[in-house]
Amino acid sequence: MLSARLPALLARIGRAGGAEAARAAVAAGLTWQACARLLHIPAPCTGAVAAVLIVETTVAATVSAATRYTAGCLLGALLAVPAALYARPPMAGLALVVFASALLARHGFLGHHGLHVPMTALLTFALVRGGHPDELAAHLAEILLGIGSGLLCSVLLFPAVRVRSAERALEDLRLRVARCLDGLADAVVRRERPRGVLGPAWEDDLGTALIRARAAVDETHESLRWNVRPAARRRRWHLDHRVLRTLTDVAGQVTAAGRLLDAHPGAAEGSRPGSAFAQPYARLLRTTALCAYSCRGGRPHPALPAARQALARLGAHGCDPPDGTGGPDQRLLRPLSSALTCLSAPAPAPPARSHRLLDPLRHAPRR
């Protein structure tokens, strides 16, 4: 019973930020011990706080936080040292330091770590004016040790790989696009508006799925940067932005076809009297839905070439009239043709792993 509940408990702790908290705790303890042994500081609170503040969810976010933290502390020290040494009277120098550091802290390039600019500047000004440069050097060294410990723990202690969230978001997007195409096919057969089949908010739901998939893929790629986890977990090539762009383009064409059918519910049936256009067009929509749902990277669906041939035959039977204005059936075929073209684009292939580590350019003779 305990062994069955343990994975669920660990997963709940992980979702609550337990991994980040554990890395921050280890970084704080490591900083405390390093400062006590190397710098002989009995209570290095500043270094431990620095280690805790820079530990983020991903390695890339931790590196960014460490860079901004270091930049804020260095800017504060560089502002305060000349003012403490050369400004007369001291209150004028203090006012100048506070004004300049507060101005830098309000700029967005440091984020919320801009708060460390005035804090370090005031502390530096007080220590330099009081004749304690050794304490200032120890304080800055303590901060650097804390930042280094936080970076080390974020890189080595099981850094997060946010792959499953992107997989779920892309799966939801594929399913949403396929359902929309199936709904459009039903609307064509029933000669109804797509809003009556898919619901009045189907375009908003599709846009929401696109936003979620884009955010999840961006988060996944950020979690893979500078990550030392095994290559099998890092090289998820089917989560590439090219696959997301393909699904985004297909969703745009689905929306265009749905709006056209919504404006002209009987366009697929009443374009030419006596011509069978609705049934082949509905089958083509369902085939496109199958191809869109299988857009996972790698080779396209085997039904895609047949769908393109069927589209060409359907377009040849419904050629433009002599006056040059395309009929309703031709306007319906254009979004579907664009969607099939997007799905036919080659997806990114997985990177080939080379096993020749010592001499990668050596010719391998055939046996």
Side-chain angles (χ1 to χ4, degrees):
M1 183 67 68
L2 182 61
S3 61
R5 292 181 179 179
L6 186 58
L9 180 61
L10 293 177
R12 184 176 300 179
I13 293 175
R15 287 193 298 268
E20 292 81 2
R23 285 194 290 267
V26 174
L30 183 61
T31 304
W32 196 284
Q33 293 297 323
C35 291
R37 293 180 178 274
L38 299 178
L39 303 178
H40 306 288
I41 300 175
C45 299
T46 306
V49 169
V52 171
L53 289 180
I54 69 164
V55 174
E56 298 288 345
T57 305
T58 61
V59 179
T62 302
V63 172
S64 176
T67 304
R68 295 180 180 183
Y69 197 110
T70 307
C73 294
L74 290 179
L75 283 175
L78 291 176
L79 283 175
V81 169
L85 292 177
Y86 303 110
R88 296 294 184 273
M91 291 305 299
L94 179 61
L96 181 62
V97 167
V98 171
F99 176 78
S101 61
L103 192 63
L104 286 174
R106 292 180 182 274
H107 281 277
F109 68 96
L110 291 178
H112 63 275
H113 292 289
L115 179 64
H116 300 293
V117 179
M119 292 176 57
T120 308
L122 289 175
L123 182 61
T124 303
F125 187 86
L127 291 177
V128 173
R129 290 290 301 180
H132 304 288
D134 296 337
E135 294 185 10
L136 175 62
H139 177 77
L140 295 178
E142 186 180 343
I143 291 176
L144 290 178
L145 279 177
I147 292 174
S149 299
L151 285 173
L152 186 65
C153 292
S154 295
V155 170
L156 297 181
L157 293 182
F158 304 102
V161 179
R162 301 299 179 90
V163 173
R164 294 180 182 177
S165 59
E167 288 177 345
R168 289 192 295 266
L170 285 178
E171 182 68 19
D172 181 53
L173 178 59
R174 282 189 289 263
L175 185 60
R176 181 72 60 180
V177 171
R179 286 179 177 176
C180 289
L181 286 167
D182 285 335
L184 292 182
D186 293 338
V188 168
V189 172
R190 301 174 189 174
R191 300 187 63 181
E192 298 180 3
R193 297 182 183 272
R195 293 180 180 272
V197 178
L198 294 171
W202 71 274
E203 293 185 22
D204 296 335
D205 295 339
L206 185 59
T208 303
L210 280 171
I211 294 174
R212 290 177 180 173
R214 191 176 294 112
V217 171
D218 291 340
E219 183 182 0
T220 299
H221 278 267
E222 182 185 356
S223 69
L224 297 180
R225 292 173 59 193
W226 302 318
N227 204 319
V228 296
R229 295 283 289 275
R233 295 288 293 172
R234 289 190 290 112
R235 298 187 181 275
R236 295 301 180 106
W237 51 274
H238 62 281
L239 297 180
D240 195 87
H241 286 284
R242 291 177 58 186
V243 177
L244 179 61
R245 284 197 298 268
T246 300
L247 292 174
T248 303
D249 294 339
V250 172
Q253 300 303 326
V254 170
T255 303
R259 289 175 180 174
L260 185 59
L261 287 173
D262 199 20
H264 306 282
E269 192 69 36
S271 57
R272 295 185 310 278
S275 63
F277 181 80
Q279 293 295 335
Y281 185 72
R283 289 196 296 269
L284 200 54
L285 284 172
R286 291 192 171 92
T287 307
T288 308
L290 184 63
C291 296
Y293 184 71
S294 65
C295 181
R296 306 169 187 271
R299 295 181 178 179
H301 195 273
L304 188 58
R308 292 183 63 85
Q309 293 177 4
L311 179 66
R313 290 195 300 268
L314 196 59
H317 288 296
C319 56
D320 292 340
D323 57 358
T325 59
D329 51 355
Q330 291 296 316
R331 293 199 302 268
L332 289 174
L333 289 177
R334 291 191 189 104
L336 198 56
S337 175
S338 300
L340 291 175
T341 302
C342 295
L343 292 171
S344 301
R353 296 183 60 184
S354 177
H355 298 281
R356 304 179 190 176
L357 299 179
L358 298 180
D359 192 2
L361 300 179
R362 184 180 60 189
H363 175 69
R366 295 183 178 180
R367 295 182 179 180

